[in-house]
Amino acid sequence: MRIKRIAAGILAAAAVLSLSLTLFACGKKSDKTLYIYNWSEYIPQEVYDLFRQETGIEVKETTFEDNEEMLAKLEAQGASRYDLVVPSSYVIGIMKQKGYIQPIEKDKVPNLKNISADALGKNFDPNNEYSLPYMATMTVIAVNVPKLAELGVEIKSLNDLLDPRLEKNLVVVDDQRELISAALKATGQDPDTQDEATILGTLDWLIALKKNVKEFSTNNSKVALETNSVAAGLVFNLDAGLAIFENPDITVIYTTEPCELAMDNFVITAGAKHKDYAQQFIDFVYRPEIYKMILDEFPGVCLNDAAKALLDEDYLANPGATVDSYELGRAHITQDVGDAVEYYDDVYTKMKIN
Amino acid sequence: MKKWFSRKLAPIIMVAPTTVWMILFIFIPMIIVLIVSLVRKDTGGGIIYELSGNGYAEMFKIEYLRIILKSLWVALEATVICLALGYPFAFIISKLPKKYINFCVMLIMLPFWINSVIRIYGWDTLLRDEGVLNKLLMSWHIIKHPIVMMKTEGAVLFGLVYELLPFMVLPLYTSISKLDNSMVEASADLGATRPRTFTRVVLPLTMPGIFAGSIQTFIPALGLFYIGDMMGGARYMYIGNLINNQFGSGRNWPLGAALSIFLIVLTLVMMRQYAKVGNLEDMA
């Protein structure tokens, strides 16, 4: 009886202790911390480590997989939970409108001079008041040259992706805006249309595309390319670049239609507790050697002229990592479509169940 | 004082953490989902606090109904296959010599020690066109061209069965090991053939296990959306993907929440059915 009572006491104590530990463990944190909310696989850990060594500021990174996931989290948890966020161009308008972001003090970011003039003053933030460019991602067509030759297929237009000989031989990003933009461009229409009938009209094109798609994958497309699982892909240049480094049979080709481009930007949240740290970090990333370090790991589109001068030969020779500058210039920057997103979601769902 | 402690306070302290846990992580989130399902959606995601039935009304689009039916069908297929594989499997384990039983049960639990997403990635390495299995078969000249196994509907079903088989086997094992052998002997003594003994004695007595296992397989099978993405190449949409989409690129939280409520209600109905037929002890 006595043993039982002692055991009960110990158990109760343990229960209380563990509960209080979980409740109070969260309360303790270091003051010099920068909270960044970023795409997964976009800034390597070494950059954060170097920043800490130099400034003593610890960077805590939380990651997201797409802009909408990021918006949802800011909506649900409040933007001020993070100091620095890295959204794509087309959601910056929404973030401004919802009051999630505040102006950046550009004089605190002297290395901004390294950033290419082409990357500044875009229509989503004409004076770069709220956003400063980080990197860009261009959606390109990556092809497996021997596989495509074996099939006898040549890709000159987005419409060639519908060639029946490519049946179940494509990897494409699992992203409704990207694929519907492709359908709209292929059929000669405005890729940012908000017109219901036009958007729903892409269904046939999308269904034809789906017949050729082996895998819809936003984050893993490089594996499908690398392992020769598919003959071609509509993928982000970063993934194409990584696949090309691993598999020399892969290359990038361009079509008559312009590519889709997303500019990813640094923004500082409205209630940021560490605005200074955030600006310091942006400035740090803009240093040519740091920016190059990032590109070596994640070969997005380089927007830093000073870093461009440092890039290795095999980086410049990789058509996924270093995209064609003419194509970059004429690429279409994805815009927000407001409430028309409903029609985009609708036609995408219809394609998926077909 | 001591008596008071052991009689009143100790049980409260023991139960409190679980209760707090349940309220914080199950009850409150459910209420939030319910609220979100009943308000209006905001442009760019998020919600406006105005009562609205749109979330539920939009559920009845023909495409969504097709997705729901398809998800139910795939979950049913996975459950039936798990049952067909799991029943003999559990039977064999329960008839093993005592010293091996614990070891075998541990082997069933072993996969839970590794994150399920990582295990699914493992299948990709094994089964893709240039994967280990295809390469082996080709080097042995059994096949000339790789067999396409990954990114198909079959692969999705395989992934579900692989992931959920333990949830079927464990309750079946519990139920079957409780089966009193003298019943089987009595049936044989009274002249029943072996198939008849199975259908009239063994099957009814292990029904609670069958029911528990089926529910524990069927319900998670509805929600495992990443298996459709990773094994099926996201070529098909299941109810899990649909819900996930509404909170993401679809920017329609009320619809996503309404679909979640539908799943929760479906689960509750099935649990109730189970409580009637089976015996809750076998749920563990």
Side-chain angles (χ1 to χ4, degrees):
Chain A
M1 199 58 220
R2 201 176 191 179
I3 293 172
K4 241 185 187 173
R5 207 184 288 165
I6 293 169
I10 291 172
L11 268 173
V16 172
L17 192 70
S18 64
L19 184 73
S20 53
L21 276 180
T22 45
L23 286 181
F24 297 116
C26 336
K28 211 180 148 193
K29 51 186 139 182
S30 144
D31 281 352
K32 282 196 114 182
T33 308
L34 172 69
Y35 292 89
I36 171 167
Y37 193 27
N38 185 20
W39 292 86
S40 63
E41 310 207 328
Y42 217 19
I43 296 179
Q45 185 58 42
E46 302 98 78
V47 171
Y48 297 137
D49 293 343
L50 279 177
F51 185 65
R52 195 196 51 219
Q53 277 168 29
E54 198 179 299
T55 61
I57 300 167
E58 186 152 0
V59 183
K60 289 243 166 82
E61 185 190 45
T62 310
T63 61
F64 56 85
E65 303 289 336
D66 61 53
N67 285 304
E68 279 74 16
E69 180 194 338
M70 179 270 298
L71 280 179
K73 210 162 176 186
L74 293 191
E75 174 89 23
Q77 302 184 328
S80 61
R81 168 175 286 249
Y82 310 101
D83 301 307
L84 193 61
V85 185
V86 189
S88 304
S89 31
Y90 74 95
V91 291
I92 285 176
I94 299 175
M95 294 181 83
K96 209 188 294 181
Q97 185 197 324
K98 292 208 170 203
Y100 291 163
I101 52 180
Q102 62 167 309
I104 300 175
E105 297 160 88
K106 275 181 273 185
D107 53 319
K108 297 264 177 73
V109 190
N111 284 330
L112 182 58
K113 64 176 194 294
N114 295 335
I115 296 299
S116 157
D118 295 341
L120 297 166
K122 295 289 183 187
N123 67 351
F124 55 85
D125 188 14
N127 298 318
N128 286 93
E129 195 185 342
Y130 289 89
S131 64
L132 291 177
Y134 170 53
M135 253 185 222
T137 311
M138 195 152 99
T139 311
V140 296
I141 293 180
V143 296
N144 186 312
V145 179
K147 275 202 145 199
L148 219 52
E150 201 180 303
L151 295 167
V153 177
E154 243 187 293
I155 298 175
K156 287 186 166 158
S157 150
L158 286 169
N159 285 315
D160 293 329
L161 293 176
L162 309 187
D163 191 321
R165 284 172 294 184
L166 284 172
E167 194 188 344
K168 295 242 177 111
N169 230 332
L170 299 178
V171 59
V172 298
V173 288
D174 193 9
D175 184 308
Q176 49 193 48
R177 276 310 300 284
E178 289 286 351
L179 297 185
I180 297 167
S181 281
L184 289 165
K185 283 186 285 190
T187 50
Q189 298 175 89
D190 171 18
D192 297 312
T193 182
Q194 302 195 19
D195 178 57
E196 181 173 6
T198 312
I199 297 165
L200 297 181
T202 58
L203 182 60
D204 291 339
W205 198 93
L206 290 171
I207 289 173
L209 178 73
K210 189 191 169 183
K211 288 206 177 87
N212 289 350
V213 172
K214 181 176 194 179
E215 187 177 356
F216 291 88
S217 173
T218 307
N219 306 313
N220 231 359
S221 54
K222 61 173 181 284
V223 177
L225 289 166
E226 231 168 74
T227 58
N228 299 316
S229 295
V230 291
L234 187 66
V235 301
F236 297 133
N237 77 289
L238 196 154
D239 295 301
L242 289 172
I244 291 167
F245 280 131
E246 295 294 323
N247 182 346
D249 286 343
I250 310 289
T251 191
V252 166
I253 56 166
Y254 296 100
T255 61
T256 46
E257 302 87 357
C259 294
E260 216 49 34
L261 183 72
M263 311 250 314
D264 294 317
N265 302 267
F266 290 116
V267 297
I268 297 178
T269 59
K273 289 173 198 83
H274 308 104
K275 189 178 180 181
D276 281 345
Y277 297 168
Q279 285 163 168
Q280 220 174 322
F281 183 74
I282 299 172
D283 198 53
F284 183 76
V285 166
Y286 281 174
R287 284 186 203 169
E289 66 282 5
I290 300 294
Y291 199 93
K292 177 188 180 285
M293 210 169 127
I294 300 173
L295 284 176
D296 283 340
E297 188 103 355
F298 304 122
V301 176
C302 175
L303 302 178
N304 188 322
D305 286 342
K308 220 173 270 176
L310 300 178
L311 292 172
D312 310 323
E313 226 160 278
D314 59 337
Y315 190 97
L316 295 169
N318 181 325
T322 309
V323 294
D324 187 84
S325 57
Y326 166 72
E327 291 294 339
L328 184 61
R330 74 170 187 133
H332 169 255
I333 299 181
T334 314
Q335 307 290 323
D336 184 47
V337 291
D339 277 333
V341 84
E342 183 188 327
Y343 315 131
Y344 281 86
D345 189 56
D346 204 28
V347 73
Y348 201 69
T349 307
K350 283 192 171 118
M351 177 268 283
K352 277 284 180 88
I353 61 168
N354 208 284
Chain B
M1 182 63 199
K2 264 188 182 166
K3 255 191 180 165
W4 179 84
F5 175 80
S6 61
R7 275 200 199 145
K8 290 260 169 64
L9 196 60
I12 290 173
I13 292 174
M14 300 284 276
V15 173
T18 329
T19 314
V20 171
W21 181 271
M22 298 274 275
I23 291 174
L24 269 180
F25 297 111
I26 297 179
F27 187 68
I28 294 179
M30 285 243 246
I31 297 293
I32 294 175
V33 173
L34 185 67
I35 293 171
V36 172
S37 76
L38 287 168
V39 296
R40 224 153 56 80
K41 69 167 176 180
D42 192 5
T43 312
I47 44 173
I48 299 168
Y49 289 96
E50 259 174 53
L51 208 62
S52 160
N54 279 350
Y56 291 92
E58 286 171 37
M59 253 173 70
F60 295 98
K61 261 191 194 163
I62 186 85
E63 298 91 54
Y64 298 160
L65 293 179
R66 273 177 67 183
I67 292 173
I68 291 170
L69 281 179
K70 184 171 173 121
S71 307
L72 291 172
W73 177 246
V74 173
L76 185 70
E77 280 182 310
T79 308
V80 170
I81 295 173
C82 279
L83 183 60
L85 291 173
Y87 199 88
F89 192 73
F91 219 101
I92 292 165
I93 291 181
S94 66
K95 297 296 169 229
L96 284 175
K98 270 244 155 60
K99 53 181 175 178
Y100 297 125
I101 289 184
N102 279 340
F103 179 68
C104 284
V105 171
M106 195 197 76
L107 284 184
I108 299 171
M109 312 269 267
L110 205 59
F112 294 124
W113 295 359
I114 303 170
N115 181 294
S116 61
V117 178
I118 294 172
R119 281 184 282 132
I120 293 289
Y121 263 112
W123 282 113
D124 192 58
T125 312
L126 289 174
L127 298 181
R128 66 173 169 240
D129 296 6
E130 292 202 349
V132 177
L133 187 62
N134 269 321
K135 276 197 172 152
L136 267 183
L137 290 175
M138 291 215 298
S139 69
W140 292 341
H141 300 287
I142 295 171
I143 52 168
K144 271 199 173 139
H145 299 286
I147 306 169
V148 178
M149 289 176 275
M150 283 302 287
K151 319 300 177 194
T152 58
E153 259 176 297
V156 177
L157 196 56
F158 175 81
L160 285 173
V161 170
Y162 161 73
E163 196 96 309
L164 297 170
L165 192 60
F167 294 97
M168 179 64 92
V169 172
L170 292 175
L172 278 176
Y173 162 74
T174 317
S175 203
I176 292 170
S177 59
K178 274 191 203 153
L179 183 68
D180 189 348
N181 217 32
S182 57
M183 299 276 198
V184 180
E185 281 160 13
S187 167
D189 287 348
L190 292 170
T193 57
R194 300 187 103 197
R196 199 170 159 79
T197 303
F198 180 74
T199 52
R200 298 302 290 272
V201 179
V202 178
L203 212 53
L205 284 173
T206 52
M207 202 45 102
I210 294 175
F211 210 83
S214 300
I215 282 195
Q216 285 187 50
T217 312
F218 186 79
I219 293 172
L222 285 174
L224 293 177
F225 65 91
Y226 59 89
I227 290 185
D229 285 354
M230 292 164 74
M231 301 294 280
R235 297 189 81 249
Y236 317 94
M237 204 181 253
Y238 302 96
I239 186 163
N241 306 95
L242 182 61
I243 295 174
N244 188 25
N245 255 7
Q246 297 315 315
F247 288 96
S249 47
R251 299 185 193 169
N252 193 344
W253 294 18
L255 174 59
L259 287 162
S260 307
I261 294 287
F262 167 78
L263 264 193
I264 292 168
V265 170
L266 190 71
T267 310
L268 290 178
V269 168
M270 279 191 283
M271 296 292 283
R272 223 188 131 74
Q273 235 15 63
Y274 170 77
K276 271 189 201 159
V277 179
N279 159 1
L280 273 171
E281 269 175 45
D282 292 88
M283 277 308 263

